[in-house]
Each structure stands twice: as structure tokens, then as C-alpha cells.
Amino acid sequence: MSGILQPSSAQNWLSSQGSSSGLIVKRTIRVDIPVDKYPNYNFVGRLLGPRGNSLKRVEASTECRVLIRGRGSIKDPAREDMMRGKPGYEHLNEPLHILVEGELPVEIVDARLMQAREILEDLLRPVDESQDYYKKQQLRELALLNGTFREEGSPMSGSVSPFNNSLGMKRAKTRG
């Protein structure tokens, strides 16, 4: 962990919240993604979630910035190859990992970083798809965002054909 002490620009806000020191520190931790152990598992998709909302929720709950870095962090492999070696993209030469940055009061920064680490490490444990409640929630959220969500057990779930439903309707007999 690296830490840089900075005088607080939000001194008044912190003192009104009862903070003792008023110092804001910036610390960064690294969480490795086990792509070597699970090469076919979609860790980036699981971390990001629908439209990045899962990662945004981790950031909102911990007040830390979460960055996916390393090989495989850019969706388009051709673009990743093009960016490799350019300034600001040095991380593309490293294995896939997560950086968690916290710029918070010194009293809480470590606790928030550890909270973020616990959440992320939990998400980085591969789960069998049939038992992956988290992925089911992400797919449900995506369907809601796309306007394609159907309640389970609703008459319109599955086929919308009147000839293939659970209402007991049968096709009219024709002579022939």
C-alpha cells in the first residue's frame, strides 16, 4: 500500500463530522485476478456487470475508485495491442488485476480499502453457473435495463404462440 498525505481541502466538512486529524490520504491496493487458474472464466464481465453498474455499486458503497487493469482489461484485443507500450497503458504488459484507490480521511481509508478488497475477492471466486445467484441478478438487471424482462411464471414467458402455451388451448381441428 502506498500513502500520500495531503492537507484537506475539505477541512471544514471533516471537522463538522467530528474527524480528529482532517488529513486526507490517498492509498492504492492491488487485487490480482486469477486468470491463470481459470482461463475461460469471464472475470471482467462479472466485475463490471450490466453497463458497468456492478462495479459502480462497489465504488459507491466503499467510496473507492476501482480500476480493471492489465492484459484483457480492454474489450477489443486489436485496440489493446495498438495501445500496448503507449504512455498511460503500461499496465497492459502486466497480468489482469484490479487497482482500488481510496482518497479518504486517514481514519477510514484502510477500512474502506479492505471492504472493497473483500467484495472484489468474493466476486473473483468462480461459481458454477447453475448456482451463481450474483450472475442471475446481473442478467435480471440487464433485462430490466433493456426492457426485455419477463416475470417468471407470467403467461407470456417462453413462447408467445397461442398453440404452445400452458392455458390448455388447442389448435382448431380442420378437415382434410
Side-chain angles (χ1 to χ4, degrees):
M1 266 194 247
S2 63
I4 302 168
L5 294 177
Q6 297 175 341
S8 172
S9 60
Q11 187 80 31
N12 294 336
W13 179 84
L14 288 170
S15 60
S16 69
Q17 297 296 316
S19 176
S20 58
S21 71
L23 283 176
I24 300 286
V25 294
K26 182 175 184 178
R27 296 216 173 110
T28 302
I29 61 171
R30 177 181 165 137
V31 179
D32 290 321
I33 299 175
V35 286
D36 51 335
K37 276 174 119 175
Y38 308 98
N40 298 322
Y41 198 79
N42 183 8
F43 290 105
V44 175
R46 184 171 171 84
L47 289 166
L48 288 174
R51 302 194 186 154
N53 286 345
S54 298
L55 199 65
K56 290 175 193 172
R57 269 194 287 281
V58 173
E59 290 182 333
S61 67
T62 62
E63 296 182 36
C64 294
R65 183 92 195 264
V66 181
L67 308 156
I68 301 172
R69 295 287 184 252
R71 280 187 300 278
S73 61
I74 296 179
K75 191 174 188 176
D76 180 10
R79 184 166 182 266
E80 184 173 311
D81 288 340
M82 186 179 74
M83 300 310 284
R84 188 172 282 117
K86 292 189 177 174
Y89 292 90
E90 294 83 4
H91 65 89
L92 294 174
N93 294 319
E94 301 174 27
L96 194 62
H97 62 279
I98 303 166
L99 293 179
V100 183
E101 296 177 347
E103 193 167 350
L104 297 160
V106 69
E107 294 84 10
I108 64 168
V109 68
D110 290 330
R112 293 291 171 85
L113 288 171
M114 290 306 110
Q115 178 188 7
R117 178 189 291 267
E118 287 173 13
I119 293 168
L120 294 168
E121 285 178 345
D122 191 42
L123 293 176
L124 292 174
R125 268 188 224 103
V127 179
D128 183 66
E129 254 188 68
S130 65
Q131 300 173 346
D132 195 348
Y133 176 76
Y134 188 74
K135 183 169 183 176
K136 286 177 185 167
Q137 288 299 106
Q138 287 181 323
L139 291 172
R140 182 179 195 276
E141 180 182 0
L142 182 62
L144 286 167
L145 288 169
N146 290 337
T148 58
F149 179 72
R150 291 190 301 251
E151 287 289 337
E152 287 180 33
S154 74
M156 294 306 285
S157 65
S159 172
V160 292
S161 167
F163 308 114
N164 182 21
N165 65 20
S166 59
L167 299 176
M169 291 175 57
K170 293 184 179 175
R171 193 170 180 189
K173 291 184 181 178
T174 58
R175 293 182 189 220

